[in-house]
Amino acid sequence: MENRRPETLERIVTLKQAEAFIEEQIQALREQIRDGKVLLALSGGVDSSVVAALLIKAIGKNLVCVHVNHGLLRKGEPEQVIQVFRHEMDANLIYVDAVDRFLDKLAGVDNPEKKRKIIGAEFIRVFEEEARKLDNIRFLAQGTIYPDILESGPVKSHHNVGGLPEDLQFELVEPVKFLYKDEVRVVGKALGLPDNMVFRQPFPGPGLGVRCVGAITRDRLEAVRESDAILREEFAKNGLQGKVWQYFTIVPDIRSTGIRDGLRTDEWPVVIRAVNTRDAVTATVEDVPFSLLQHITDRITHEVKGVNRVLYDLTPKPTGTIEWE
Ligand code: XMP
């Protein structure tokens, strides 16, 4: 029954409830870990960020966070992880710039499942290398949340940074494993994490890699990252952040003719996708105001290198999936 939410755990809705949860967890973590050292893969997503902030409060520098930049993160994300955790929370943070490694491995690979496998396997390899450089690590912290346990049965919790070799098995520390996503967000808020970290939309593990459709190239990946940043900025300015469930841009590997300064261009289209869903199994398309779409189109076609068109994806799920690959 270790993986069943305790009946005594009240649903966390208010900051006061979150503060009580935090106090309890700090005590429990100190009892479990004592003076041991804990390793955490910190992606900057809500779950791992909340786990990091809890552990920093409980054990300070005995937590070692590893942030792997695989080159497929959104604009500003690695910088924010460093700013928040190293500079503001004074955490023990190892930043690994693995951009070239990932992009070299992915060069020329256009099959979506192969891309996912390469990203997943390379991530474990980088994390393993970092873990081997450290001494006396006894615990591995993970941002497992309750839906992960409910959806995958009790096995998944052992497979999150799964794939680590036999000699690198640690005791797991999973302080938010009985919480639902909305509760994790309230706890994050109570821990003082910034809103754009706490209320972040879902982001796939392979990151922008599955939005740079086909074989990833650095220039087209930059077009994905820059157009995504513009879309997010405009959605935030126009009150859509936190209202629309997931929104992002895709750059497929096709070119079309355009015209700029009287000359013909041969450039990519950017596709905007903005959807609402409860469970990601089905999804509807957000009715974004046409004038806002026109404004975003104007910005993307003028500010993003290599892009001459913008399209809006009108397809619900089904028949389209949320991501393009
Ligand atoms: P689809 O595209 O299948 O996506 O409609 C449903 C939800 O899952 C996310 N997604 C992923 N998340 N690894 C992840 O961690 C993945 O490989 C992956 N593929 C899709 C997607 O962003 C959406 O929220």
Side-chain angles (χ1 to χ4, degrees), residues 111-169:
N111 177 290
E113 285 321 304
K114 276 201 189 132
K115 285 165 69 175
R116 279 190 170 78
K117 281 214 177 95
I118 290 172
I119 296 164
E122 194 60 16
F123 183 86
I124 289 167
R125 216 165 292 140
V126 173
F127 190 74
E128 183 190 331
E129 284 174 18
E130 292 306 316
R132 288 199 189 285
K133 291 181 199 161
L134 302 163
D135 291 324
N136 302 323
I137 300 283
R138 220 184 107 195
F139 301 91
L140 180 71
Q142 295 196 327
T144 314
I145 64 170
Y146 204 39
D148 296 333
I149 294 175
L150 294 178
E151 279 159 27
S152 333
V155 210
K156 174 171 176 200
S157 61
H158 300 287
H159 286 264
N160 255 354
V161 185
L164 283 177
E166 287 277 310
D167 67 317
L168 267 188
Q169 295 298 322

Side-chain angles (χ1 to χ4, degrees), residues 12-283:
I12 302 169
V13 182
T14 63
L15 284 178
K16 202 157 169 250
Q17 288 169 314
E19 278 154 16
F21 173 84
I22 292 165
E23 283 314 309
E24 265 171 41
Q25 279 307 313
I26 288 174
Q27 292 312 320
L29 286 167
R30 284 182 183 155
E31 267 170 42
Q32 184 189 359
I33 298 162
R34 296 178 187 276
D35 57 0
K37 284 197 174 175
V38 183
L39 185 63
L40 169 73
L42 176 58
S43 66
V46 190
D47 306 331
S48 65
S49 296
V50 166
V51 168
L54 270 173
L55 281 159
I56 291 163
K57 273 196 184 274
I59 60 164
K61 298 266 182 180
N62 276 346
L63 171 71
V64 183
C65 303
V66 177
H67 179 62
V68 177
N69 181 358
H70 53 26
L72 306 166
L73 298 168
R74 288 173 285 201
K75 189 173 180 176
E77 279 183 344
E79 293 82 357
Q80 187 182 34
V81 167
I82 293 172
Q83 174 61 27
V84 169
F85 291 98
R86 183 178 289 162
H87 299 311
E88 290 168 26
M89 294 196 174
D90 197 26
N92 202 343
L93 172 73
I94 298 171
Y95 169 75
V96 188
D97 179 348
V99 176
D100 287 340
R101 262 178 89 153
F102 277 82
L103 297 187
D104 288 349
K105 278 252 153 64
L106 286 163
V109 181
D110 62 1
N111 177 290
E113 285 321 304
K114 276 201 189 132
K115 285 165 69 175
R116 279 190 170 78
K117 281 214 177 95
I118 290 172
I119 296 164
E122 194 60 16
F123 183 86
I124 289 167
R125 216 165 292 140
V126 173
F127 190 74
E128 183 190 331
E129 284 174 18
E130 292 306 316
R132 288 199 189 285
K133 291 181 199 161
L134 302 163
D135 291 324
N136 302 323
I137 300 283
R138 220 184 107 195
F139 301 91
L140 180 71
Q142 295 196 327
T144 314
I145 64 170
Y146 204 39
D148 296 333
I149 294 175
L150 294 178
E151 279 159 27
S152 333
V155 210
K156 174 171 176 200
S157 61
H158 300 287
H159 286 264
N160 255 354
V161 185
L164 283 177
E166 287 277 310
D167 67 317
L168 267 188
Q169 295 298 322
F170 306 102
E171 256 177 71
L172 289 182
V173 174
E174 298 177 300
V176 297
K177 75 171 179 180
F178 293 125
L179 302 193
Y180 289 96
K181 196 78 172 190
D182 54 319
E183 299 179 292
V184 178
R185 293 192 205 276
V186 184
V187 172
K189 192 94 189 115
L191 285 163
L193 291 172
D195 275 5
N196 68 348
M197 213 169 229
V198 170
F199 297 105
R200 192 164 272 187
Q201 34 167 335
F203 189 59
L208 301 181
V210 292
R211 298 172 182 172
C212 189
V213 174
I216 298 170
T217 57
R218 287 170 195 249
D219 50 0
R220 201 154 49 82
L221 181 61
E222 267 333 285
V224 179
R225 194 175 348 254
E226 291 299 324
S227 56
D228 172 74
I230 292 173
L231 182 75
R232 284 190 290 133
E233 188 188 321
E234 290 299 330
F235 267 41
K237 256 194 221 159
N238 288 278
L240 295 176
Q241 177 180 294
K243 180 177 167 268
V244 181
W245 196 77
Q246 200 172 5
Y247 46 95
F248 53 88
T249 61
I250 301 119
V251 184
D253 190 10
I254 51 172
R255 290 171 186 272
S256 74
T257 305
I259 191 148
R260 196 187 298 275
D261 303 326
L263 294 173
R264 283 186 172 261
T265 59
D266 181 35
E267 296 177 315
W268 305 299
V270 160
V271 180
I272 297 174
R273 187 128 176 85
V275 296
N276 291 304
T277 176
R278 285 180 69 85
D279 51 15
V281 176
T282 61

Side-chain angles (χ1 to χ4, degrees), residues 309-321:
R309 283 175 200 275
V310 175
L311 316 175
Y312 189 55
D313 187 345
L314 289 170
T315 322
K317 176 181 181 177
T319 54
T321 47

